[in-house]
Amino acid sequence: MATIASVIITLDDDVPEYMSGIIRCGSVVSEDKDGNQIGDHQELIDNTEFHTEDQLIDYVAKHLGVDKSIIEIES
């Protein structure tokens, strides 16, 4: 299996208005050093709520066993 070189998180843009300020994961994709997708981590898409992007990054890093510095949130 290829080594994870980067992780891209896309935020859930379907958060209800009454949940303003809540961040949820829309997708988590891992890539190798060449930018090829090596994983689509659907197990992390479970409506878990976060209050900051740092909390979300910590959560993903812990579950994938990667350093936080390789995780990017796509806007």
Side-chain angles (χ1 to χ4, degrees), residues 41-66:
H41 304 280
Q42 290 298 310
E43 71 276 10
L44 296 175
I45 313 305
D46 60 3
N47 289 330
T48 301
E49 299 174 357
F50 304 93
H51 296 282
T52 67
E53 289 183 354
D54 284 340
Q55 288 177 332
L56 173 56
I57 289 170
D58 287 345
Y59 174 79
V60 171
K62 178 181 176 186
H63 282 11
L64 295 182
V66 299

Side-chain angles (χ1 to χ4, degrees), residues 16-41:
E17 190 174 312
Y18 70 87
M19 294 176 68
S20 179
I22 298 294
I23 300 170
R24 292 192 308 203
C25 234
S27 70
V28 179
V29 175
S30 56
E31 297 179 341
D32 66 14
K33 63 180 174 56
D34 297 320
N36 299 312
Q37 180 175 324
I38 57 174
D40 181 9
H41 304 280

